[in-house]
Amino acid sequence: MQRILAGYVTAMCLLLMAPIVIVVILAFSGAGYLQFPPTALSLRWFARFLGDDQWRAALWYSLVIGAIACTIATTIGFFAAYALVRRPIAAKKLLLSLLLLPVIVPTVITAIAMYFLSARLGLVGNVLWIGCCHAVVALPVVLLILLATLQGVDVNLERAALSLGSSRLRLFLRVVVPLAAPGIISAALFAFLASFDELIISLFLTGIRAQTLPVRIWNSLHMQIEPTIAAVSAVLIGITGLVLLLDASLRRWRAARTGAGT
Amino acid sequence: MLMLPAFAMLAFVFVLPLAWFFTQALFAEGGIQQIASVIASRAVLQAILATNWISLLVTACVLLAGYPIAYYLANRRGLRFTLVVFCIIVPYFTSIIVRTYSWMVLLGRAGVINRLLQSAGLIEAPLPLLYNKLGIVIGMTYVLLPYMVLTLFATMKSIDRNLLLAASGLGAGGFAVFWRVYLPLSRHGILSGALIVFILSIGFFITPALMGGPSDVMVAMLIERSVEITLDWKSAAVMSLFLLAVTLVLYAVYYRITDLRRLMGA
């Protein structure tokens, strides 16, 4: 029985990773169409991706919007998470449930409503505004990570700082933020990823001016499945991998700190 | 005070657009009668049926596929645990559009699977794996599986092993221990996992839009179409309101039975 279970789990793990691995391999294919396994390897699809002005612009917009969304969501989320963990607030769970709503409400509805308003205000294609909209969707991710982090920060250290005459601002800047730094960086990374991968809101809000990578992939997929998309996908997968790797080392850092008694 | 920025942000960028959209689109000319005719139209009813059916199917698939994985994880440590978690986390954080594209490359008529099967001589004509319900269910199951595994794992991790020992000590066989003790103890995880997967399924858009056939139209797709293609804001608003209401009711149930911090498996 144990052997069947182990076999099943192994098979499922292979199945889970297979699509991602195969797309990355296809991105390096030398053939003009999608052929697996590839007969020759080349970087031509990456060259086409980075050599194309529109794809490059899409990469740039994705990065900029991701940075804006990540900054807003992490800052706002940090204060909210701090209040939820430290303050004696009634109905904490209810407040949290409201803050998590953006991931529960179907994104199509959110996106259309945002578009409806943005069109009236002339904000379609405005990078800063798209960043704000993405920040709303990234906020739940930030909150969940920071709630866990701040719960692990010893409240006595904050009391000590306050009793030694530290101001609120200093308390945040010199005590809370440094202690929670690994978690804050993690939260920022995942907030960036949430925006970087977001498709539906971008689909409605970017217009033709500020198309992001997922939007360009979406538009290309409706026309044909060409290997350039495999290369773009490989880049997106690479960035996801990088974020996960950074997060893993941040976790180790966090564990080392709590182990050392801070 | 500290929560003010978050709620202000939510109010202006999330709640305000929704409220504005619903009030403007619903109470424009035409009024209530049109609302009834939208809900009663054939296309909408069909989409509601299709959405329910696909979501139930996906929830069942995700539960059946995910339960053994979560069980395995709850009883392992060390390298094996890390490896399995790795295989679940990497797809989980990969962009949905990339994951959907990957499956399209695998399942298409000239896709990886059909070519391999053909060159192995197992089939003559390519199998219809994409652009139908099968494609949607495969794609959505793949995207939603991590939510189920992480939810189940959290519940299973808290099951007291001594209860299982007690059961076998009292003479229960391996199957009876699982069926009469372990499964009921993991009921809570099954319920919240199924709920969150179903909630996310009924609002799904990207995967069914790309992997489904012309007759597999889910509510979210119909909403997008009425805005993008027919510019029918009123129908879009009516359907959105309906989908939103169902989602919120289910979320309220989820809220009552689950620790919300487990939502993303963080």
Side-chain angles (χ1 to χ4, degrees), chain A residues 216-225 229, chain B residues 104 209-210:
Chain A
R216 292 253 334 143
I217 297 181
W218 167 269
N219 288 337
S220 312
L221 275 182
H222 277 290
M223 290 179 276
Q224 60 180 83
I225 302 186
I229 305 177
Chain B
M104 290 170 74
L210 288 173

Side-chain angles (χ1 to χ4, degrees), chain B:
Chain B
M1 252 325 261
L2 288 170
M3 308 207 35
L4 204 62
F7 277 103
M9 169 102 185
L10 220 56
F12 282 111
V13 190
F14 183 67
V15 179
L16 178 72
L18 282 170
W20 170 260
F21 166 55
F22 284 131
T23 47
Q24 288 294 308
L26 284 178
F27 300 114
E29 82 290 359
I32 311 295
Q33 280 151 343
Q34 251 186 329
I35 295 176
S37 69
V38 169
I39 288 283
S41 84
R42 225 183 125 77
V44 175
L45 285 177
Q46 254 169 3
I48 292 175
L49 274 179
T51 305
N52 267 311
W53 174 234
I54 290 171
S55 302
L56 281 174
L57 219 56
V58 168
T59 309
C61 288
V62 168
L63 180 61
L64 287 176
Y67 196 92
I69 304 178
Y71 179 84
Y72 184 87
L73 278 177
N75 296 300
R76 290 292 184 291
R77 276 198 208 123
L79 184 64
R80 281 184 198 167
F81 176 83
T82 314
L83 271 177
V84 176
V85 168
F86 176 84
C87 291
I88 289 166
I89 291 295
V90 170
Y92 186 41
F93 284 109
T94 300
S95 163
I96 293 187
I97 182 88
V98 169
R99 281 186 276 174
T100 304
Y101 167 71
S102 308
W103 275 105
M104 290 170 74
V105 167
L106 287 180
L107 300 176
R109 274 185 71 82
V112 172
I113 292 177
N114 270 324
R115 287 224 183 148
L116 287 180
L117 287 177
Q118 273 175 314
S119 60
L122 289 170
I123 52 167
E124 276 172 19
L127 299 171
L129 301 169
L130 190 63
Y131 304 126
N132 52 30
K133 278 213 178 53
L134 180 66
I136 299 186
V137 172
I138 293 176
M140 284 177 66
T141 301
Y142 182 67
V143 172
L144 292 169
L145 187 65
Y147 288 92
M148 179 63 92
V149 173
L150 296 172
T151 307
L152 284 173
F153 171 73
T155 302
M156 288 176 177
K157 203 66 197 160
S158 64
I159 290 178
D160 186 355
R161 315 289 309 166
N162 289 324
L163 293 171
L164 309 180
L165 290 175
S168 49
L170 291 168
F175 182 73
V177 171
F178 175 77
W179 189 253
R180 305 275 300 272
V181 182
Y182 198 87
L183 197 62
L185 284 172
S186 62
R187 197 177 47 202
H188 188 256
I190 295 176
L191 198 60
S192 38
L195 255 178
I196 192 68
V197 169
F198 190 80
I199 290 174
L200 295 173
S201 292
I202 55 173
F204 237 63
F205 171 68
I206 302 171
T207 309
L210 288 173
M211 297 181 77
S215 64
D216 308 304
V217 180
M218 290 177 71
V219 175
M221 293 159 65
L222 210 56
I223 294 173
E224 189 259 359
R225 277 183 201 181
S226 47
V227 170
E228 286 277 286
I229 299 168
T230 52
L231 296 173
D232 184 356
W233 286 92
K234 178 159 260 168
S235 297
V238 174
M239 288 185 282
S240 298
L241 197 60
F242 178 72
L243 183 58
L244 185 64
V246 174
T247 306
L248 289 181
V249 168
L250 291 173
Y251 183 51
V253 178
Y254 181 78
Y255 169 82
R256 285 194 71 98
I257 64 167
T258 319
D259 180 357
L260 288 174
R261 278 167 300 174
R262 299 241 185 272
L263 184 65
M264 320 274 285

Side-chain angles (χ1 to χ4, degrees), chain A:
Chain A
M1 201 55 213
Q2 283 298 315
R3 204 170 288 171
I4 298 173
L5 181 67
Y8 169 78
V9 172
T10 313
M12 283 306 283
C13 284
L14 290 176
L15 200 62
L16 280 164
M17 290 304 288
I20 293 173
V21 173
I22 287 175
V23 161
V24 173
I25 294 174
L26 283 174
F28 290 97
S29 159
Y33 55 95
L34 293 168
Q35 184 189 37
F36 189 84
T39 43
L41 296 178
S42 84
L43 290 172
R44 59 191 273 207
W45 304 113
F46 288 94
R48 183 176 283 195
F49 167 42
L50 292 172
D52 181 293
D53 283 342
Q54 281 189 306
W55 280 112
R56 258 208 322 264
L59 177 62
W60 171 247
Y61 281 123
S62 281
L63 290 172
V64 172
I65 293 171
I68 296 169
C70 152
T71 312
I72 299 174
T74 312
T75 315
I76 288 177
F78 173 77
F79 290 122
Y82 184 84
L84 279 172
V85 171
R86 288 285 187 263
R87 296 293 156 80
I89 301 172
K92 268 187 195 184
K93 195 181 172 188
L94 189 66
L95 287 178
L96 179 63
S97 77
L98 292 177
L99 290 168
L100 295 181
L101 268 179
V103 287
I104 295 296
V105 172
T107 323
V108 169
I109 300 178
T110 315
I112 288 177
M114 284 171 171
Y115 173 71
F116 194 76
L117 189 67
S118 313
R120 295 287 156 92
L121 302 175
L123 286 169
V124 173
N126 182 315
V127 173
L128 200 63
W129 174 245
I130 301 168
C132 284
C133 293
H134 277 184
V136 170
V137 189
L139 189 63
V141 186
V142 171
L143 271 174
L144 291 171
I145 296 175
L146 285 180
L147 282 178
T149 308
L150 289 170
Q151 253 145 10
V153 172
D154 190 352
V155 69
N156 286 321
L157 294 169
E158 293 171 36
R159 292 201 182 115
L162 279 180
S163 71
L164 290 170
S166 163
S167 70
R168 281 263 153 225
L169 186 67
R170 269 177 73 88
L171 173 73
F172 267 116
L173 291 179
R174 303 294 292 273
V175 181
V176 184
V177 171
L179 282 172
I184 295 175
I185 302 172
S186 272
L189 284 171
F190 284 109
F192 173 79
L193 204 58
S195 160
F196 196 73
D197 290 343
E198 209 290 326
L199 169 63
I200 305 177
I201 292 175
S202 310
L203 210 55
F204 282 93
L205 289 190
T206 52
I208 33 170
R209 261 200 300 144
Q211 291 193 347
T212 57
L213 277 186
V215 175
R216 292 253 334 143
I217 297 181
W218 167 269
N219 288 337
S220 312
L221 275 182
H222 277 290
M223 290 179 276
Q224 60 180 83
I225 302 186
E226 52 153 348
T228 314
I229 305 177
V232 183
S233 299
V235 171
L236 286 174
I237 292 168
I239 290 175
T240 305
L242 198 66
V243 166
L244 289 175
L245 209 66
L246 285 170
D247 178 62
S249 40
L250 284 167
R251 271 168 204 265
R252 209 159 293 154
W253 180 22
R254 203 153 59 191
R257 288 189 146 199
T258 39
T262 50

